[in-house]
PDB file of all heavy atoms in Angstrom:
ATOM      1  N   ASP A  11       5.250  12.184  -2.170  1.00 98.00           N
ATOM      2  CA  ASP A  11       6.095  12.879  -3.143  1.00 98.00           C
ATOM      3  C   ASP A  11       5.428  14.163  -3.624  1.00 98.00           C
ATOM      4  O   ASP A  11       6.073  15.212  -3.729  1.00 98.00           O
ATOM      5  CB  ASP A  11       6.368  11.973  -4.356  1.00 98.00           C
ATOM      6  CG  ASP A  11       7.378  10.874  -4.059  1.00 98.00           C
ATOM      7  OD1 ASP A  11       8.148  11.029  -3.101  1.00 98.00           O
ATOM      8  OD2 ASP A  11       7.387   9.875  -4.800  1.00 98.00           O
ATOM      9  N   ILE A  12       4.143  14.087  -3.928  1.00 98.00           N
ATOM     10  CA  ILE A  12       3.408  15.256  -4.404  1.00 98.00           C
ATOM     11  C   ILE A  12       3.354  16.330  -3.327  1.00 98.00           C
ATOM     12  O   ILE A  12       3.629  17.516  -3.578  1.00 98.00           O
ATOM     13  CB  ILE A  12       1.984  14.864  -4.845  1.00 98.00           C
ATOM     14  CG1 ILE A  12       2.056  13.949  -6.075  1.00 98.00           C
ATOM     15  CG2 ILE A  12       1.156  16.109  -5.162  1.00 98.00           C
ATOM     16  CD1 ILE A  12       0.715  13.355  -6.472  1.00 98.00           C
ATOM     17  N   ILE A  13       3.011  15.924  -2.115  1.00 97.00           N
ATOM     18  CA  ILE A  13       2.897  16.884  -1.011  1.00 97.00           C
ATOM     19  C   ILE A  13       4.237  17.548  -0.715  1.00 97.00           C
ATOM     20  O   ILE A  13       4.334  18.777  -0.602  1.00 97.00           O
ATOM     21  CB  ILE A  13       2.364  16.179   0.256  1.00 97.00           C
ATOM     22  CG1 ILE A  13       0.914  15.733   0.043  1.00 97.00           C
ATOM     23  CG2 ILE A  13       2.455  17.115   1.477  1.00 97.00           C
ATOM     24  CD1 ILE A  13       0.373  14.871   1.171  1.00 97.00           C
ATOM     25  N   LEU A  14       5.298  16.744  -0.602  1.00 97.00           N
ATOM     26  CA  LEU A  14       6.615  17.281  -0.263  1.00 97.00           C
ATOM     27  C   LEU A  14       7.183  18.158  -1.371  1.00 97.00           C
ATOM     28  O   LEU A  14       7.813  19.187  -1.099  1.00 97.00           O
ATOM     29  CB  LEU A  14       7.581  16.136   0.044  1.00 97.00           C
ATOM     30  CG  LEU A  14       7.311  15.363   1.338  1.00 97.00           C
ATOM     31  CD1 LEU A  14       8.255  14.172   1.455  1.00 97.00           C
ATOM     32  CD2 LEU A  14       7.452  16.268   2.554  1.00 97.00           C
ATOM     33  N   SER A  15       6.958  17.775  -2.624  1.00 98.00           N
ATOM     34  CA  SER A  15       7.482  18.588  -3.728  1.00 98.00           C
ATOM     35  C   SER A  15       6.749  19.926  -3.822  1.00 98.00           C
ATOM     36  O   SER A  15       7.377  20.968  -4.044  1.00 98.00           O
ATOM     37  CB  SER A  15       7.382  17.825  -5.051  1.00 98.00           C
ATOM     38  OG  SER A  15       6.051  17.464  -5.352  1.00 98.00           O
ATOM     39  N   VAL A  16       5.434  19.922  -3.635  1.00 98.00           N
ATOM     40  CA  VAL A  16       4.667  21.168  -3.660  1.00 98.00           C
ATOM     41  C   VAL A  16       5.091  22.084  -2.517  1.00 98.00           C
ATOM     42  O   VAL A  16       5.325  23.286  -2.711  1.00 98.00           O
ATOM     43  CB  VAL A  16       3.153  20.890  -3.585  1.00 98.00           C
ATOM     44  CG1 VAL A  16       2.376  22.191  -3.343  1.00 98.00           C
ATOM     45  CG2 VAL A  16       2.664  20.241  -4.865  1.00 98.00           C
ATOM     46  N   LEU A  17       5.206  21.526  -1.314  1.00 98.00           N
ATOM     47  CA  LEU A  17       5.641  22.319  -0.166  1.00 98.00           C
ATOM     48  C   LEU A  17       7.046  22.857  -0.368  1.00 98.00           C
ATOM     49  O   LEU A  17       7.342  24.007  -0.041  1.00 98.00           O
ATOM     50  CB  LEU A  17       5.579  21.475   1.109  1.00 98.00           C
ATOM     51  CG  LEU A  17       4.184  21.110   1.620  1.00 98.00           C
ATOM     52  CD1 LEU A  17       4.282  20.197   2.840  1.00 98.00           C
ATOM     53  CD2 LEU A  17       3.393  22.382   1.984  1.00 98.00           C
ATOM     54  N   GLY A  18       7.930  22.007  -0.918  1.00 97.00           N
ATOM     55  CA  GLY A  18       9.300  22.430  -1.164  1.00 97.00           C
ATOM     56  C   GLY A  18       9.365  23.584  -2.147  1.00 97.00           C
ATOM     57  O   GLY A  18      10.097  24.553  -1.932  1.00 97.00           O
ATOM     58  N   ILE A  19       8.613  23.498  -3.236  1.00 97.00           N
ATOM     59  CA  ILE A  19       8.605  24.557  -4.250  1.00 97.00           C
ATOM     60  C   ILE A  19       8.068  25.855  -3.664  1.00 97.00           C
ATOM     61  O   ILE A  19       8.610  26.947  -3.900  1.00 97.00           O
ATOM     62  CB  ILE A  19       7.777  24.118  -5.469  1.00 97.00           C
ATOM     63  CG1 ILE A  19       8.497  22.975  -6.207  1.00 97.00           C
ATOM     64  CG2 ILE A  19       7.545  25.293  -6.422  1.00 97.00           C
ATOM     65  CD1 ILE A  19       7.631  22.272  -7.235  1.00 97.00           C
ATOM     66  N   LEU A  20       6.985  25.756  -2.890  1.00 98.00           N
ATOM     67  CA  LEU A  20       6.365  26.956  -2.310  1.00 98.00           C
ATOM     68  C   LEU A  20       7.269  27.622  -1.275  1.00 98.00           C
ATOM     69  O   LEU A  20       7.525  28.825  -1.331  1.00 98.00           O
ATOM     70  CB  LEU A  20       5.019  26.592  -1.670  1.00 98.00           C
ATOM     71  CG  LEU A  20       3.889  26.213  -2.631  1.00 98.00           C
ATOM     72  CD1 LEU A  20       2.660  25.782  -1.854  1.00 98.00           C
ATOM     73  CD2 LEU A  20       3.551  27.387  -3.544  1.00 98.00           C
ATOM     74  N   PHE A  21       7.780  26.841  -0.346  1.00 97.00           N
ATOM     75  CA  PHE A  21       8.576  27.404   0.743  1.00 97.00           C
ATOM     76  C   PHE A  21       9.983  27.817   0.305  1.00 97.00           C
ATOM     77  O   PHE A  21      10.613  28.655   0.966  1.00 97.00           O
ATOM     78  CB  PHE A  21       8.671  26.411   1.902  1.00 97.00           C
ATOM     79  CG  PHE A  21       7.418  26.313   2.727  1.00 97.00           C
ATOM     80  CD1 PHE A  21       6.630  25.180   2.677  1.00 97.00           C
ATOM     81  CD2 PHE A  21       7.015  27.366   3.538  1.00 97.00           C
ATOM     82  CE1 PHE A  21       5.462  25.088   3.419  1.00 97.00           C
ATOM     83  CE2 PHE A  21       5.852  27.278   4.293  1.00 97.00           C
ATOM     84  CZ  PHE A  21       5.061  26.152   4.232  1.00 97.00           C
ATOM     85  N   LEU A  22      10.469  27.255  -0.784  1.00 97.00           N
ATOM     86  CA  LEU A  22      11.812  27.606  -1.255  1.00 97.00           C
ATOM     87  C   LEU A  22      11.792  28.516  -2.478  1.00 97.00           C
ATOM     88  O   LEU A  22      12.821  28.727  -3.108  1.00 97.00           O
ATOM     89  CB  LEU A  22      12.596  26.329  -1.580  1.00 97.00           C
ATOM     90  CG  LEU A  22      12.891  25.396  -0.399  1.00 97.00           C
ATOM     91  CD1 LEU A  22      13.538  24.110  -0.884  1.00 97.00           C
ATOM     92  CD2 LEU A  22      13.780  26.088   0.639  1.00 97.00           C
ATOM     93  N   SER A  23      10.633  29.067  -2.798  1.00 97.00           N
ATOM     94  CA  SER A  23      10.519  29.937  -3.972  1.00 97.00           C
ATOM     95  C   SER A  23      11.451  31.141  -3.866  1.00 97.00           C
ATOM     96  O   SER A  23      12.021  31.587  -4.872  1.00 97.00           O
ATOM     97  CB  SER A  23       9.071  30.395  -4.158  1.00 97.00           C
ATOM     98  OG  SER A  23       8.603  31.075  -3.004  1.00 97.00           O
ATOM     99  N   TRP A  24      11.643  31.654  -2.659  1.00 97.00           N
ATOM    100  CA  TRP A  24      12.545  32.796  -2.468  1.00 97.00           C
ATOM    101  C   TRP A  24      13.991  32.410  -2.790  1.00 97.00           C
ATOM    102  O   TRP A  24      14.746  33.189  -3.385  1.00 97.00           O
ATOM    103  CB  TRP A  24      12.467  33.292  -1.019  1.00 97.00           C
ATOM    104  CG  TRP A  24      12.860  32.246  -0.001  1.00 97.00           C
ATOM    105  CD1 TRP A  24      12.072  31.303   0.564  1.00 97.00           C
ATOM    106  CD2 TRP A  24      14.178  32.011   0.518  1.00 97.00           C
ATOM    107  NE1 TRP A  24      12.794  30.503   1.424  1.00 97.00           N
ATOM    108  CE2 TRP A  24      14.081  30.919   1.426  1.00 97.00           C
ATOM    109  CE3 TRP A  24      15.416  32.630   0.331  1.00 97.00           C
ATOM    110  CZ2 TRP A  24      15.184  30.436   2.114  1.00 97.00           C
ATOM    111  CZ3 TRP A  24      16.515  32.142   1.024  1.00 97.00           C
ATOM    112  CH2 TRP A  24      16.391  31.066   1.905  1.00 97.00           C
ATOM    113  N   LEU A  25      14.356  31.171  -2.430  1.00 97.00           N
ATOM    114  CA  LEU A  25      15.704  30.690  -2.702  1.00 97.00           C
ATOM    115  C   LEU A  25      15.889  30.450  -4.203  1.00 97.00           C
ATOM    116  O   LEU A  25      16.948  30.746  -4.757  1.00 97.00           O
ATOM    117  CB  LEU A  25      15.971  29.414  -1.912  1.00 97.00           C
ATOM    118  CG  LEU A  25      17.360  28.776  -2.047  1.00 97.00           C
ATOM    119  CD1 LEU A  25      18.458  29.776  -1.690  1.00 97.00           C
ATOM    120  CD2 LEU A  25      17.471  27.535  -1.163  1.00 97.00           C
ATOM    121  N   PHE A  26      14.869  29.911  -4.839  1.00 97.00           N
ATOM    122  CA  PHE A  26      14.915  29.726  -6.284  1.00 97.00           C
ATOM    123  C   PHE A  26      15.205  31.064  -6.977  1.00 97.00           C
ATOM    124  O   PHE A  26      16.043  31.138  -7.879  1.00 97.00           O
ATOM    125  CB  PHE A  26      13.583  29.174  -6.802  1.00 97.00           C
ATOM    126  CG  PHE A  26      13.478  27.676  -6.743  1.00 97.00           C
ATOM    127  CD1 PHE A  26      13.091  27.039  -5.571  1.00 97.00           C
ATOM    128  CD2 PHE A  26      13.741  26.904  -7.858  1.00 97.00           C
ATOM    129  CE1 PHE A  26      12.967  25.664  -5.510  1.00 97.00           C
ATOM    130  CE2 PHE A  26      13.625  25.515  -7.811  1.00 97.00           C
ATOM    131  CZ  PHE A  26      13.245  24.897  -6.638  1.00 97.00           C
ATOM    132  N   LEU A  27      14.510  32.109  -6.551  1.00 97.00           N
ATOM    133  CA  LEU A  27      14.656  33.427  -7.166  1.00 97.00           C
ATOM    134  C   LEU A  27      16.076  33.965  -6.981  1.00 97.00           C
ATOM    135  O   LEU A  27      16.684  34.480  -7.930  1.00 97.00           O
ATOM    136  CB  LEU A  27      13.645  34.399  -6.561  1.00 97.00           C
ATOM    137  CG  LEU A  27      13.648  35.826  -7.128  1.00 97.00           C
ATOM    138  CD1 LEU A  27      13.377  35.801  -8.620  1.00 97.00           C
ATOM    139  CD2 LEU A  27      12.625  36.688  -6.409  1.00 97.00           C
ATOM    140  N   ILE A  28      16.616  33.829  -5.767  1.00 97.00           N
ATOM    141  CA  ILE A  28      17.980  34.301  -5.488  1.00 97.00           C
ATOM    142  C   ILE A  28      18.994  33.559  -6.349  1.00 97.00           C
ATOM    143  O   ILE A  28      19.898  34.167  -6.938  1.00 97.00           O
ATOM    144  CB  ILE A  28      18.314  34.122  -3.993  1.00 97.00           C
ATOM    145  CG1 ILE A  28      17.496  35.092  -3.143  1.00 97.00           C
ATOM    146  CG2 ILE A  28      19.814  34.339  -3.744  1.00 97.00           C
ATOM    147  CD1 ILE A  28      17.657  34.884  -1.648  1.00 97.00           C
ATOM    148  N   LEU A  29      18.848  32.242  -6.449  1.00 97.00           N
ATOM    149  CA  LEU A  29      19.793  31.448  -7.223  1.00 97.00           C
ATOM    150  C   LEU A  29      19.691  31.745  -8.717  1.00 97.00           C
ATOM    151  O   LEU A  29      20.707  31.761  -9.426  1.00 97.00           O
ATOM    152  CB  LEU A  29      19.558  29.960  -6.967  1.00 97.00           C
ATOM    153  CG  LEU A  29      19.846  29.475  -5.539  1.00 97.00           C
ATOM    154  CD1 LEU A  29      19.517  28.001  -5.392  1.00 97.00           C
ATOM    155  CD2 LEU A  29      21.301  29.734  -5.162  1.00 97.00           C
TER     156      LEU A  29
END
Side-chain angles (χ1 to χ4, degrees):
D11 285 339
I12 294 172
I13 293 172
L14 291 174
S15 59
V16 169
L17 290 176
I19 292 167
L20 290 176
F21 284 110
L22 296 174
S23 58
W24 60 274
L25 181 56
F26 274 84
L27 181 59
I28 291 174
L29 294 177

